[in-house]
Amino acid sequence: MGTRNLSFRGLGATASAGIVLAAGAAVAMAARRPTLHALRTRIEHLEEAAQSQRRTGFAHQQRLHWELLSKAMDDPELAEVLDAYDGTVSPRKLRQFLFANALYTNALCYHRMGNMSREEFFGFARSMLQNPVFREYWYASRPHRATLADSSEEAGLGRMVDDLLAQLEEADTDEWWVVGEPPSEQ
């Protein structure tokens, strides 16, 4: 009986130590809560700054892209460097394709930056596909889009435009602005 009594006392001492340890941990956690909140706030600010930096870099890259395309459109010798159509298009048509690419890339960048929804991008594509030069550019640049990673956002938007073009060509209406189902935001 004396042995059993010692076991219960040992258990009581262990339980008391556990309670004291848990209470100490709770006090320590409560003391660290303001620090954790400050760290979370700092991380959120850093993430916002990083996002802003990406947008700024993206806008800068878009500007450089436009400047390079502008030079090529103004100078036929420079345009030859960007002739990805195996010399099958005239210099005039190549400049038109470069401009079509600039228009499309601009819309793509606007979408990526969050300034244009998928639905707005769809509307832009639907209107641009009414232009025969843009359609010709779109067909001619199909092999270039095929090199994009299937999972990329750009490839997905390209497939959306491809589908829209097929729907426009099959449509039995002159009311092109009602052809196709605008995508839902994902």
Side-chain angles (χ1 to χ4, degrees), residues 10 31 46 63 88 160 167:
L46 288 172
R63 180 72 183 150
T88 58
M160 180 180 75
Q167 291 173 34

Side-chain angles (χ1 to χ4, degrees), residues 91-106:
R92 178 177 182 263
K93 184 65 68 177
L94 178 58
R95 284 192 303 278
Q96 290 174 333
F97 282 8
L98 293 175
F99 188 73
N101 174 268
L103 289 174
Y104 179 75
T105 302
N106 185 59

Side-chain angles (χ1 to χ4, degrees), residues 91-175:
R92 178 177 182 263
K93 184 65 68 177
L94 178 58
R95 284 192 303 278
Q96 290 174 333
F97 282 8
L98 293 175
F99 188 73
N101 174 268
L103 289 174
Y104 179 75
T105 302
N106 185 59
L108 183 66
C109 288
Y110 257 51
H111 172 69
R112 285 181 174 167
M113 292 171 69
N115 295 335
M116 180 185 284
S117 68
R118 283 179 65 87
E119 186 174 344
E120 290 168 328
F121 185 89
F122 182 84
F124 162 82
R126 185 167 42 195
S127 66
M128 288 306 299
L129 289 170
Q130 298 312 300
N131 182 292
V133 174
F134 188 87
R135 278 188 189 211
E136 189 177 354
Y137 156 75
W138 195 255
Y139 283 124
S141 62
R142 182 171 284 158
H144 310 148
R145 289 188 307 282
T147 65
L148 297 172
D150 284 341
S151 62
S152 74
E153 182 180 27
E154 186 174 351
L157 291 171
R159 285 189 301 272
M160 180 180 75
V161 175
D162 287 339
D163 292 343
L164 176 58
L165 180 55
Q167 291 173 34
L168 285 166
E169 289 179 341
E170 293 172 2
D172 285 338
T173 182
D174 291 333
E175 297 175 346

Side-chain angles (χ1 to χ4, degrees), residues 31-46:
R32 290 185 182 170
R33 183 168 281 148
T35 303
L36 291 174
H37 179 70
L39 286 173
R40 280 190 201 109
T41 302
R42 179 73 178 141
I43 288 170
E44 288 171 5
H45 288 297
L46 288 172

